[in-house]
Amino acid sequence: MDDASPKSSSPCRSTLRPRDEESGAAAGEEIECDGTFVIPPKNAPVERLRRWRQAALVLNASRRFRYTLDLKKEEEKEEVRRKIRAHAQVIRAALLFKEAGEREKPGIPGILGHEELTKMTRDRDFSALQGHGGVNGIASLLKTDLDKGISGDEDEIVYRRNSFGSNTYPRKKGRSFLVFLWEAWQDLTLIILMVAAALSLALGIKTKGIDQGWYDGGSITFAVIIVIVVTAFSDYRQSLQFQNLNEEKRNIHLEVIRGGRRIKLSIFDLVVGDVVPLKIGDVVPADGIVITAHSLGIDESSMTGESKVVHKDQKAPFLMAGCKVADGYGNMLVTAVGMNTEWGILMASISEDNGEETPLQVRLNGLATFIGIVGLTVAGIVLVVLFVRYFTGNSKDPDGTVQFVKGQTSTKAAINGAINLFTVAVTIVVVAVPEGLPLAVTLTLAYSMRKMMTDKALVRRLSACETMGSATTICSDKTGTLTRNEMTIVEAYIGKKKIDPPDNAELFPASVLSRLIDGISQNTRGNVFHPKDGGVIELSGSPTEKAILSWGVKLGMNFDDARSKSSIIHVFPFNSEKKRAGVAIQLSNSEVHVHWKGAAEVIVDSCTSWLDTDGKQQPMDPDKVNEFYKCIEDMAAVSLRCMAFAYRPLDLKEIPNEEHRGDWSLPDDHLILLAIVGMKDPCRSGVREAVALCTHAGVKVRMVTGDNLRTAKAIALECGILKDADAPEPILIEGKTFRTKSNAEQDEISEKITVMGRSSPNDKLLLVQALRRRGHVVAVTGDGTNDAPALHEADIGLAMGIQGTEVAKESSDIIILDDDFASVVKVVRWGRSVYANIQKFIQFQLTVNVAALTINVVAAFSSGEVPLNTVQLLWVNLIMDTLGALALATEPPTDHLMDRTPVGRREPLITNIMWRNLMVQAFYQITVLLVLNFAGKSILHLKHETREHANKAKNTFIFNTFVLCQIFNEFNARKVDELNVFSGVLKNHLFIGIVGLTTILQIMIVEFLGQFTKTVRLNWKLWFVSIAIAIISWPLAVLGKLIPVPSTPFSEYFSRCSFWRKKQDDGAAQESSNAPS
């Protein structure tokens, strides 16, 4: 908004408080005094959710609360979880008891049936596993090669799926169109109208005969049915969109080994017998048995309820679907899928999506409640006035006859007349109570979520769509988000010598090359696949792993051969805190070497010697350390990511026995430096423009990376995040420097930080917390398991879809499918678009509300007649509610949105600009239509017509002009703060279609459906005048937008007045209590 107001300093409207852990609000965040309809964007407590439901005025609960969280079903879901967890606990307890007596009993090898395999895995029956020959025996029975997996032939996949089941679970079907029809029918006002229509129909037929008597009741019934059908169709369409998006969320893609190569496929395509590599952050996709495990730790809390990491190896080999890999890596053999797993049973029981409410949705419920109360009050007043005038003989028919004469009018006629007046009042309630207002949020969110998918963003939490529009800062990773994630080693140093080109094996001493190949082949989670036909070698793993493996292959490494020459004793998986990974291997000559790779300066600091270009070991003195640091700094200065390789020999006596090896920490001191390499990862195209657009839009981009600060600085300059190459601390800061500061110091410098290098996930979390305490709305990107706390803590967590782990994705609100920062900026645009579209719809709807209510109230008080009858008001309601929401809530985002500052989280829904636009249009419509109501006959030259025809023609003209004003005003509502309301209108086909449909239906109603709507045909001159009056709203909107408005929201003036009035009352009460008696 160009009138985005600063946060109020009014004591009534806001207070500052320490961080509310329960609600998720940050310290210093403003909260409204009347917080009934205010909820935090994430992790809202159940009590807060219940409170706004109880405060909302609702005439159709099934419709109003359809896309909000079903609290009852959520409790039922938790109960199901508890039961299944208890079932799992009972099985485990029974197993422990059983194992005590049966562990030594040998199993009987034989044919392994589907039920036996499922039971063995589910019951964790170790003795049965041993009886079948362990994991090797099971693999043999399942015809699986533990190294190469299954062949992957289509016939084999189908056979395994038919024999052991598919990795899917039955989901509850979405609600049918008939269910939505039934829910739309539940609206209390529509039910009252149908009852009134039925009575009117019966009395009309009895008094006027079937030929004429059915029109009044029949037309109301028909109009109500149309409203119900259109409403149900709109809601059904939204429901289908949400179902499709939920399917996308569930469709996890994972690596599987088939035919010796690692391929990516959907979790639903997994079959029994598959070999699945697991690494930190993965979700176990099915039940299975460990094949190999290196420090493999599994978090089984999702199934057991106990947040305890369980270490898996050959002694504890069973894995449960749905659990998360917390540490290490390994391979598993799939033994049960889908409904044959505990996880499948659980998901089938709770698979229905119970909805979720967003802060904007709840605030709109509050606005709808307020408008509804006003509407009910107005309708009540109108009803009383109409009844008084009717029963006192002041109401007349179009032909001038008095409608009710005491002692003369029959009871049936009197009741019919009273029913007609009652239906008018009820219809005013239908128009006044905007049940569709909160659903307009859902409509625009559903539309935005669908379109965001094409912009490579998958929304996991609805509220993130709108919160992104308020983002004031984005803490972005470097690798893969700002850069392409296409790494290649372009520089290498052995000792003092730079190897050029870096992959020329002839320049490497034989001893150094041999050690390097040992470290590259074994200290990796990646893989190299050599096709039998001699095709292109396939590399798998992270981009860093692939770059190193590619370098090794170019140096002459045969991956499988190198791995066969040594065996792994113990592994230290890559750790983002320590910035390195290690492996202990035993060579064929029984020598043991511990290989390390990681951040260059971290590895160099652990070295006490280095190998020179002749392969001779040299001591690491301070001068040499400085020389190596100089090499690292030179590479970092040209945006290279620096890594180092080192090793150390180990005596066999220093290695603990197998039972104690799980807790063994690999020695990382006294290392011998082998090589330092620099990897090039170029910036993504368009990232500089995306960063500039964010800055222009008032969103500060900060780089938070685990890389060397010099590398981070070089990339930040290239991307446009950093402007000054000589920027001092804390603009450029290392993670360890930031984490050592106190909370107050962190808060103070957090605003200034632009680049944080060598940061750990905890440093990122600390920065997010500090920024939130300063009042920022923070978006954070992350891909690793350790990023989960920061993603969860941030206002918007953005996980990377390609490199992100499943744990990171589950903690996020939005998944960036292409890992590109430009897609993050598109999400910001969509977030602002959601808010802008809702404001367009509010402005349009309130204009209709104010105009329709005012016209009917004034007319009812003055003449006892309402110019807009029941059927006409229902048509206006349809234009305003469902069709208006479809037209305005589905506007695509424009570049103009990025010219605004971020939307304040406490910014009023109706801004001063909206109030101005609304009042200008409403005042114009009310003035014109009231003039027509009281002087229309003379203005339209209808005095020579019969009284009945003149009244009908006048009211038809008023109705037609009123509807055309709304159609033309829909264009004005498209651009709340822009003069050119037609910009991009032809690109929005849905808007043009709805405006066109509304216009055609209006012509049909006036010209051909007069019997139902109590209208008469208008000649071309009256049509021309109607259009002329309506079209004036366009230049009027332009003139209105030239009227300046104050920056302080009008609501704050009222808040201040009420606050000071309350303060004076409290002061007066205090004085009277202190006065002497």
Side-chain angles (χ1 to χ4, degrees):
M1 299 279 105
D2 62 357
D3 70 331
S5 58
K7 288 187 178 177
S8 166
S9 58
S10 161
C12 177
R13 183 169 178 271
S14 61
T15 53
L16 295 177
R17 59 179 169 84
R19 175 169 172 74
D20 179 358
E21 293 292 346
E22 184 187 31
S23 71
E29 188 176 310
E30 294 190 6
I31 338 156
E32 294 179 14
C33 291
D34 182 14
T36 306
F37 291 100
V38 177
I39 63 167
K42 291 171 79 168
N43 313 314
V46 174
E47 207 45 53
R48 291 277 286 274
L49 301 181
R50 281 206 181 95
R51 191 168 67 189
W52 79 258
R53 283 166 171 74
Q54 291 162 358
L57 168 71
V58 180
L59 299 176
N60 181 1
S62 62
R63 183 163 190 248
R64 178 80 78 88
F65 295 142
R66 177 173 306 127
Y67 296 109
T68 58
L69 183 67
D70 190 324
L71 298 177
K72 187 177 178 184
K73 283 188 178 177
E74 196 65 15
E75 288 174 3
E76 289 172 1
K77 183 192 282 190
E78 282 306 311
E79 187 59 34
V80 169
R81 281 184 190 274
R82 279 194 290 271
K83 284 179 182 176
I84 291 178
R85 282 172 179 164
H87 176 55
Q89 298 278 22
V90 169
I91 288 172
R92 269 186 288 285
L95 172 64
L96 291 172
F97 182 75
K98 183 179 170 187
E99 278 184 347
E102 294 187 5
R103 184 174 286 276
E104 300 305 318
K105 289 185 180 179
I108 303 170
I111 303 301
L112 192 62
H114 161 52
E115 290 181 9
E116 187 183 353
L117 181 61
T118 301
K119 186 174 184 302
M120 178 191 73
T121 311
R122 190 170 56 217
D123 296 351
R124 300 191 176 191
D125 193 339
F126 191 77
S127 59
L129 176 63
Q130 293 293 81
H132 285 294
V135 68
N136 289 306
I138 297 292
S140 176
L141 292 167
L142 290 174
K143 296 182 171 55
T144 297
D145 184 316
L146 292 180
D147 294 321
K148 297 182 178 179
I150 61 176
S151 67
D153 292 339
E154 190 60 37
D155 292 342
E156 182 184 1
I157 300 298
V158 171
Y159 173 76
R160 288 177 183 273
R161 198 169 282 138
N162 291 337
S163 301
F164 298 101
S166 63
N167 199 28
T168 56
Y169 47 87
R171 298 190 187 95
K172 294 177 183 176
K173 287 184 178 179
R175 287 174 291 186
S176 68
F177 178 66
L178 292 176
V179 174
F180 285 94
L181 269 178
W182 174 252
E183 289 184 350
W185 173 267
Q186 302 301 304
D187 193 319
L188 181 62
T189 51
L190 295 182
I191 292 171
I192 293 170
L193 280 178
M194 289 297 280
V195 171
L199 289 171
S200 178
L201 189 65
L203 290 167
I205 291 171
K206 201 158 191 180
T207 54
K208 297 179 183 177
I210 195 160
D211 290 340
Q212 296 295 321
W214 69 276
Y215 281 123
D216 286 353
S219 57
I220 294 171
T221 304
F222 184 66
V224 169
I225 289 170
I226 288 175
V227 169
I228 289 170
V229 170
V230 173
T231 300
F233 178 75
S234 171
D235 292 342
Y236 177 62
R237 191 166 161 272
Q238 286 181 61
S239 176
L240 291 178
Q241 288 183 7
F242 281 121
Q243 282 180 38
N244 294 335
L245 288 165
N246 284 332
E247 282 300 312
E248 285 291 336
K249 290 182 202 174
R250 296 188 188 104
N251 190 12
I252 296 169
H253 283 80
L254 64 148
E255 276 192 341
V256 175
I257 299 173
R258 286 184 180 173
R261 62 169 29 145
R262 292 192 185 192
I263 60 170
K264 278 215 164 191
L265 49 77
S266 167
I267 191 171
F268 303 131
D269 295 330
L270 206 63
V271 294
V272 169
D274 265 323
V275 174
V276 181
L278 297 174
K279 62 182 183 300
I280 296 177
D282 284 349
V283 172
V284 179
D287 283 2
I289 306 168
V290 167
I291 300 170
T292 58
H294 303 294
S295 305
L296 187 63
I298 304 292
D299 176 5
E300 296 184 344
S301 59
S302 58
M303 288 305 300
T304 64
E306 300 171 14
S307 51
K308 178 184 173 185
V309 174
V310 180
H311 287 279
K312 298 291 180 179
D313 52 28
Q314 301 302 331
K315 293 178 181 176
F318 293 105
L319 297 168
M320 282 195 295
C323 299
K324 299 176 183 70
V325 182
D327 197 13
Y329 62 91
N331 287 354
M332 70 172 278
L333 174 67
V334 175
T335 56
V337 293
M339 289 301 291
N340 296 317
T341 67
E342 297 266 359
W343 183 251
I345 296 167
L346 175 64
M347 294 309 291
S349 306
I350 61 173
S351 59
E352 188 175 0
D353 187 6
N354 287 340
E356 169 211 350
E357 57 250 54
T358 72
L360 192 53
Q361 206 174 356
V362 175
R363 287 177 72 189
L364 282 172
N365 265 288
L367 182 61
T369 295
F370 174 74
I371 297 170
I373 290 168
V374 172
L376 281 170
T377 306
V378 169
I381 294 169
V382 168
L383 184 62
V384 169
V385 170
L386 291 177
F387 271 179
V388 168
R389 292 186 67 94
Y390 178 75
F391 287 111
T392 56
N394 289 308
S395 296
K396 296 179 181 179
D397 282 327
D399 59 3
T401 58
V402 177
Q403 290 179 343
F404 180 85
V405 179
K406 191 175 181 182
Q408 295 180 22
T409 305
S410 67
T411 305
K412 290 177 185 174
I415 292 172
N416 199 27
I419 287 171
N420 288 336
L421 297 179
F422 182 69
T423 55
V424 170
V426 172
T427 310
I428 289 174
V429 176
V430 173
V431 175
V433 180
E435 291 288 0
L437 195 55
L439 286 174
V441 185
T442 318
L443 180 65
T444 191
L445 288 174
Y447 169 78
S448 301
M449 286 170 71
R450 183 164 54 85
K451 290 294 185 181
M452 283 166 76
M453 279 291 291
T454 62
D455 280 344
K456 304 298 180 185
L458 171 63
V459 178
R460 296 189 70 254
R461 189 173 285 110
L462 269 179
S463 58
C465 281
E466 61 193 50
T467 309
M468 201 66 190
S470 302
T472 57
T473 186
I474 300 172
C475 298
S476 174
D477 282 340
K478 176 185 75 70
T479 307
T481 308
L482 297 168
T483 61
R484 290 185 199 162
N485 223 0
E486 296 170 0
M487 297 191 193
T488 47
I489 291 177
V490 294
E491 286 192 27
Y493 286 85
I494 302 294
K496 299 177 184 179
K497 185 181 178 184
K498 180 179 179 180
I499 307 297
D500 192 15
D503 51 11
N504 187 347
E506 294 178 2
L507 301 177
F508 285 75
S511 59
V512 173
L513 187 60
S514 171
R515 300 282 181 270
L516 266 177
I517 286 174
D518 284 344
I520 291 170
S521 62
Q522 294 287 28
N523 193 11
T524 183
R525 291 185 308 211
N527 188 57
V528 179
F529 175 73
H530 294 268
K532 292 178 181 176
D533 58 4
V536 179
I537 292 172
E538 295 177 18
L539 304 171
S540 61
S542 69
T544 306
E545 297 275 11
K546 287 196 280 190
I548 294 168
L549 289 172
S550 173
W551 184 54
V553 169
K554 289 173 184 175
L555 290 174
M557 176 185 74
N558 183 310
F559 185 74
D560 294 330
D561 184 53
R563 286 176 74 93
S564 67
K565 289 179 180 176
S566 59
S567 59
I568 295 175
I569 297 172
H570 191 59
V571 168
F572 179 87
F574 179 80
N575 185 305
S576 50
E577 293 283 346
K578 293 195 173 182
K579 310 287 183 195
R580 57 188 166 196
V583 62
I585 61 172
Q586 186 168 8
L587 304 175
S588 53
N589 60 4
S590 296
E591 285 185 26
V592 175
H593 288 171
V594 177
H595 282 270
W596 288 94
K597 69 177 180 187
E601 62 268 38
V602 174
I603 297 294
V604 168
D605 284 344
S606 300
C607 292
T608 54
S609 56
W610 53 281
L611 294 182
D612 63 18
T613 49
D614 296 323
K616 293 179 181 176
Q617 189 171 327
Q618 304 290 347
M620 184 76 78
D621 55 44
D623 290 339
K624 198 65 207 169
V625 169
N626 291 334
E627 280 185 42
F628 285 127
Y629 264 64
K630 180 70 169 60
C631 294
I632 294 166
E633 288 173 5
D634 289 345
M635 287 192 284
V638 290
S639 308
L640 298 189
R641 192 178 188 194
C642 304
M643 287 192 74
F645 299 85
Y647 87 106
R648 64 165 286 179
L650 201 64
D651 196 304
L652 271 170
K653 294 175 185 176
E654 296 180 58
I655 301 170
N657 58 38
E658 210 164 318
E659 288 182 12
H660 299 95
R661 205 172 287 169
D663 300 322
W664 180 41
S665 295
L666 285 180
D668 57 1
D669 54 353
H670 301 292
L671 302 184
I672 303 166
L673 184 65
L674 290 169
I676 300 174
V677 298
M679 288 182 280
K680 181 69 176 173
D681 184 15
C683 276
R684 287 183 181 271
S685 58
V687 75
R688 191 177 183 88
E689 292 78 9
V691 170
L693 186 60
C694 276
T695 306
H696 174 71
V699 182
K700 182 174 176 62
V701 181
R702 306 169 201 269
M703 181 195 289
V704 184
T705 177
D707 273 355
N708 182 302
L709 189 57
R710 279 180 171 267
T711 306
K713 173 183 166 183
I715 293 288
L717 286 166
E718 198 176 334
C719 294
I721 293 173
L722 192 65
K723 306 296 181 189
D724 181 9
D726 300 318
E729 192 179 290
I731 295 172
L732 289 163
I733 194 169
E734 282 204 339
K736 63 183 179 184
T737 307
F738 181 72
R739 81 177 75 112
T740 55
K741 296 185 180 294
S742 66
N743 278 358
E745 289 172 325
Q746 287 175 355
D747 290 355
E748 188 180 341
I749 67 169
S750 62
E751 300 250 17
K752 301 173 185 174
I753 293 173
T754 302
V755 178
M756 184 184 284
R758 280 289 174 247
S759 68
S760 67
N762 191 54
D763 298 332
K764 186 187 284 189
L765 176 61
L766 291 173
L767 178 61
V768 169
Q769 290 171 337
L771 287 168
R772 291 194 74 211
R773 286 195 294 269
R774 297 285 290 183
H776 283 280
V777 179
V778 186
V780 167
T781 69
D783 54 11
T785 304
N786 293 334
D787 287 327
L791 290 169
H792 182 78
E793 177 73 18
D795 295 285
I796 313 104
L798 303 160
M800 298 297 106
I802 299 171
Q803 290 304 316
T805 64
E806 287 306 318
V807 171
K809 290 175 187 176
E810 282 191 14
S811 298
S812 70
D813 306 300
I814 298 173
I815 299 172
I816 305 301
L817 299 173
D818 61 355
D819 291 13
D820 192 344
F821 184 78
S823 298
V824 176
V825 180
K826 287 176 185 174
V827 172
V828 174
R829 278 162 52 104
W830 277 109
R832 294 185 177 194
S833 175
V834 167
Y835 201 86
N837 285 350
I838 293 303
Q839 288 189 315
K840 294 171 190 176
F841 179 58
I842 291 172
Q843 179 181 301
F844 173 70
Q845 188 168 55
L846 288 186
T847 304
V848 184
N849 273 67
V850 171
L853 289 177
T854 306
I855 292 162
N856 275 358
V857 168
V858 173
F861 271 95
S862 58
S863 64
E865 295 178 359
V866 284
L868 301 175
N869 62 41
T870 301
V871 177
Q872 291 168 0
L873 281 171
L874 285 171
W875 169 232
V876 169
N877 179 65
L878 197 62
I879 295 172
M880 177 186 76
D881 214 341
T882 307
L883 296 178
L886 276 170
L888 294 170
T890 54
E891 280 275 332
T894 61
D895 291 336
H896 177 69
L897 292 170
M898 300 303 277
D899 293 333
R900 305 172 180 176
T901 54
V903 179
R905 266 200 292 210
R906 298 288 177 240
E907 185 172 313
L909 284 172
I910 310 173
T911 64
N912 291 359
I913 280 184
M914 290 168 66
W915 277 120
R916 178 196 63 197
N917 298 345
L918 185 158
M919 296 312 294
V920 165
Q921 293 295 328
F923 181 76
Y924 169 68
Q925 290 179 21
I926 290 166
T927 304
V928 170
L929 297 180
L930 285 179
V931 167
L932 287 170
N933 187 58
F934 296 114
K937 289 179 186 177
S938 58
I939 293 171
L940 302 174
H941 305 295
L942 298 171
K943 285 190 173 182
H944 301 297
E945 305 283 342
T946 63
R947 180 167 179 170
E948 183 178 1
H949 184 269
N951 275 339
K952 277 193 173 182
K954 180 198 73 174
N955 287 344
T956 301
F957 183 78
I958 290 172
F959 165 60
N960 194 47
T961 304
F962 182 68
V963 170
L964 290 178
C965 279
Q966 309 323 316
I967 292 172
F968 281 82
N969 193 37
E970 252 176 308
F971 286 87
N972 293 330
R974 286 185 68 246
K975 306 289 180 183
V976 173
D977 57 354
E978 294 179 57
L979 294 178
N980 182 7
V981 297
F982 304 107
S983 172
V985 71
L986 295 177
K987 294 178 183 176
N988 190 345
H989 300 138
L990 185 61
F991 180 87
I992 294 294
I994 286 171
V995 168
L997 178 66
T998 309
T999 307
I1000 291 167
L1001 289 174
Q1002 178 63 17
I1003 294 169
M1004 289 176 65
I1005 286 168
V1006 171
E1007 296 297 315
F1008 305 109
L1009 299 173
Q1011 289 277 23
F1012 295 98
T1013 56
K1014 295 182 181 175
T1015 56
V1016 293
R1017 290 188 174 187
L1018 299 177
N1019 60 42
W1020 68 268
K1021 291 179 183 177
L1022 292 181
W1023 270 103
F1024 180 79
V1025 175
S1026 277
I1027 293 168
I1029 292 171
I1031 210 168
I1032 289 172
S1033 66
W1034 284 348
L1036 192 67
V1038 174
L1039 292 173
K1041 286 172 184 174
L1042 299 177
I1043 300 171
V1045 291
S1047 58
T1048 305
F1050 293 139
S1051 57
E1052 288 203 11
Y1053 292 115
F1054 295 117
S1055 296
R1056 287 172 186 173
C1057 290
S1058 61
F1059 171 74
W1060 289 114
R1061 194 178 298 117
K1062 184 177 182 297
K1063 196 171 181 182
Q1064 286 171 348
D1065 292 344
D1066 291 345
Q1070 185 70 31
E1071 283 178 24
S1072 64
S1073 65
N1074 293 337
S1077 55

